[in-house]
Amino acid sequence: MSPLALIAEDDKDIADILRAYLEREGFRTVQAADGRTALDVHLALRPDIILLDITMPLVDGWEVLSKVRRRGGTPIIVITALDQDLDKLQALRIGADAMAARLQRMADDVSVWNAQIAHELRTPLTILQGRLQGAKDGVSHSTHP
């Protein structure tokens, strides 16, 4: 069965772009537009990876990250507009496996994601590589993949 990715992102356009990229690479996806739903989905479906926004309603991404990390080793990639070193350090300290600054720099982070997912799932996966190259080349602000 294909790996399941939870996209925890309150910006519908960004969530749709991430969903399209992941599904093209063979992932099944589920979306959560707020932190409370993300926690419920994680508990119910046990996704193979989580792409997590920090600035979400109801329960913020920091709390989601902390609670999910206490539940186990699901790989978590924090995707956020927050770009301060302190934010990155806090995310990694709480338990994020990788950081990506929204879509602007995601293409540069794909190799880190690939290594983390392969390590966690123990299977070689190639995700987003070609798809995100378009984002790196200037298509990143489009709402259509």
Side-chain angles (χ1 to χ4, degrees):
M1 183 181 292
S2 301
L4 178 64
L6 167 56
I7 301 166
E9 169 64 65
D10 63 324
D11 184 310
K12 184 177 177 346
D13 291 336
I14 291 173
D16 287 346
I17 290 169
L18 292 170
R19 179 191 49 76
Y21 288 145
L22 288 165
E23 288 177 356
R24 284 185 195 145
E25 295 301 325
F27 281 81
R28 295 174 296 127
T29 62
V30 61
Q31 291 177 233
D34 63 74
R36 184 175 300 141
T37 302
L39 288 168
D40 292 344
V41 169
H42 177 260
L43 193 58
L45 300 180
R46 297 293 184 188
D48 297 297
I49 189 166
I50 300 172
L51 280 68
L52 176 65
D53 180 26
I54 292 298
T55 55
M56 289 191 301
L58 300 182
V59 175
D60 70 22
W62 297 121
E63 187 172 345
V64 172
L65 175 59
S66 178
K67 287 183 176 184
V68 168
R69 189 49 63 223
R70 279 183 273 169
R71 292 177 181 170
T74 305
I76 302 169
I77 299 168
V78 172
I79 298 175
T80 183
L82 303 175
D83 197 22
Q84 300 298 316
D85 288 338
L86 185 59
D87 296 318
K88 293 176 187 176
L89 289 173
Q90 179 165 330
L92 294 172
R93 182 187 60 79
I94 294 172
D97 296 291
M99 294 278 300
R102 291 284 178 171
L103 296 178
Q104 291 87 351
R105 291 200 323 256
M106 269 204 271
D108 295 333
D109 296 326
V110 170
S111 62
V112 173
W113 297 11
N114 285 337
Q116 184 62 41
I117 293 168
H119 174 74
E120 294 294 332
L121 298 179
R122 305 290 191 259
T123 59
L125 295 176
T126 303
I127 65 163
L128 308 179
Q129 202 114 32
R131 307 294 188 250
L132 284 178
Q133 189 61 42
K136 183 178 179 182
D137 294 338
V139 185
S140 61
H141 301 307
S142 172
T143 58
H144 303 290

